[in-house]
Amino acid sequence: VICSLWKVDDEATKALMEKFYELWNPASGNGAGAAEALRKAQESVRAQEKWKHPYYWAAWQIWGLGD
């Protein structure tokens, strides 16, 4: 389960989730694990100046199996 710890910005969330699903693809066998995909998606959002503040990317957590 991926969940947020606070109300999040819709546009930043869309960017983060698109990147997450691009990186995480268990069916292909070539994708990153869920925890790694989430971390990289957070880094991708954080790298954009308008979403640099942790409010936009740090709310996301994985509960359960992360890989």
Side-chain angles (χ1 to χ4, degrees):
V1 174
I2 297 178
C3 61
S4 66
L5 300 175
W6 55 80
K7 184 171 172 50
V8 292
D9 178 80
D10 289 341
E11 189 180 356
T13 297
K14 180 180 184 257
L16 186 134
M17 289 301 162
E18 285 175 347
K19 189 66 173 179
F20 172 79
Y21 283 109
E22 175 187 317
L23 295 167
W24 177 71
N25 187 354
S28 75
N30 297 326
E36 181 182 358
L38 178 59
R39 182 183 56 79
K40 287 182 177 181
Q42 287 173 311
E43 289 174 358
S44 175
V45 169
R46 184 177 63 217
Q48 298 185 45
E49 188 61 36
K50 64 182 175 179
W51 297 325
K52 187 176 176 178
H53 191 278
Y55 164 78
Y56 295 101
W57 55 267
W60 298 100
Q61 303 288 310
I62 289 187
W63 292 12
L65 298 177
D67 290 324

